[in-house]
Amino acid sequence: VKLGGSIDFSSCIQVAQLALKYRLSKTHPQRIVPFVGSPVNEDEKDLVKLAKKLKKNNVSVDIVNFGEDDLNTKKLEAFITNVDKDGSSHLVTVPAGMGVLSDSLMASPILAGSGGGGSGSDEFGIDPNMDPELALALRVSMEEARMQQQQQTGGGAASTAPMEVDRSAPVDPAAMTEEEQIQWALRMSLEAHQSDQAPSTTPAAPAPEPSASATPAPS
């Protein structure tokens, strides 16, 4: 593989910010995680200006700096200093020869927590701030499995009656809290499971009665 070319750090950050601006769910914090492995050509002054703009729009940035750390570290440190808001942004510099990049990331504030983009992983090793949909799906699956196990072993107070769902009111999952989303998803899943297992009550179609009239024989 022949290495070459250059990067446009500012343009990449601006495109990412534009994507965040028009994201579907507005309930989760905005965060950009660029991996910088080539020389950053912008001046430090321009990077500081961009960082202040991101901070004004409540966008956090976690930068993984590797490959060209000697050239980029000073510029990226200035960028993080100006975009950081109460420890929400981080710079992780991985010098050459430090082993596997993922090992350095796992031990960094980005994934290990300490207040920002890495607000910490849950019991599945997923950061809900980084991938809220996956984290929610995993928690719902775990609760479903737990409730099914309770029903099979007879433990707990699991009810076998169909759950009532108010379908007259519109449901907006984006307006719910995380716990409300889990409860709503569980209710929908259990209702579908119960309807699949319920015996069919549709009456069988009656068999057609034989005709009482006979065709007269030809004379």
Side-chain angles (χ1 to χ4, degrees), residues 140-150 152 186:
V140 169
S141 298
M142 182 189 70
E143 291 297 332
E144 286 181 349
R146 183 179 299 167
M147 294 180 70
Q148 290 177 2
Q149 185 178 10
Q150 287 179 351
Q152 292 173 359
L186 280 172

Side-chain angles (χ1 to χ4, degrees), residues 50-60 81-86:
L50 175 61
K52 291 180 178 179
K53 179 182 177 181
L54 293 170
K55 183 177 181 179
K56 183 179 179 181
N57 288 278
N58 295 319
V59 179
S60 302
T81 299
N82 286 274
V83 76
D84 182 47
K85 187 176 182 180
D86 299 327

Side-chain angles (χ1 to χ4, degrees), residues 13-32:
I13 296 296
Q14 290 170 348
V15 169
Q17 182 190 7
L18 188 63
L20 289 173
K21 182 179 180 181
Y22 292 101
R23 68 196 188 280
L24 295 178
S25 176
K26 305 286 186 178
T27 59
H28 303 290
Q30 303 179 87
R31 182 168 302 279
I32 302 172

Side-chain angles (χ1 to χ4, degrees), residues 48-193:
V48 169
K49 183 178 179 180
L50 175 61
K52 291 180 178 179
K53 179 182 177 181
L54 293 170
K55 183 177 181 179
K56 183 179 179 181
N57 288 278
N58 295 319
V59 179
S60 302
V61 182
D62 289 330
I63 299 179
V64 181
N65 175 32
F66 65 101
E68 299 289 348
D69 50 287
D70 291 338
L71 297 175
N72 294 336
T73 298
K74 182 180 178 181
K75 293 181 180 180
L76 296 179
E77 284 177 346
F79 178 88
I80 290 296
T81 299
N82 286 274
V83 76
D84 182 47
K85 187 176 182 180
D86 299 327
S88 62
S89 299
H90 306 86
L91 171 65
V92 176
T93 298
V94 183
M98 287 296 293
V100 182
L101 180 61
S102 59
D103 292 342
S104 298
L105 288 178
M106 292 300 294
S108 71
I110 295 179
L111 296 181
S114 82
S119 61
S121 301
D122 58 12
E123 61 269 32
F124 306 105
I126 302 297
D127 185 352
N129 291 326
M130 300 296 293
D131 199 336
E133 290 81 8
L134 177 59
L136 177 60
L138 289 172
R139 291 191 62 182
V140 169
S141 298
M142 182 189 70
E143 291 297 332
E144 286 181 349
R146 183 179 299 167
M147 294 180 70
Q148 290 177 2
Q149 185 178 10
Q150 287 179 351
Q151 291 178 354
Q152 292 173 359
T153 59
S159 174
T160 58
M163 303 183 70
E164 296 294 332
V165 179
D166 183 9
R167 300 190 180 278
S168 60
V171 178
D172 183 12
M176 300 178 182
T177 64
E178 183 179 355
E179 292 300 326
E180 290 172 343
Q181 288 178 348
I182 292 174
Q183 293 298 324
W184 177 78
L186 280 172
R187 186 172 61 183
M188 295 295 100
S189 177
L190 289 176
E191 184 187 53
H193 179 69

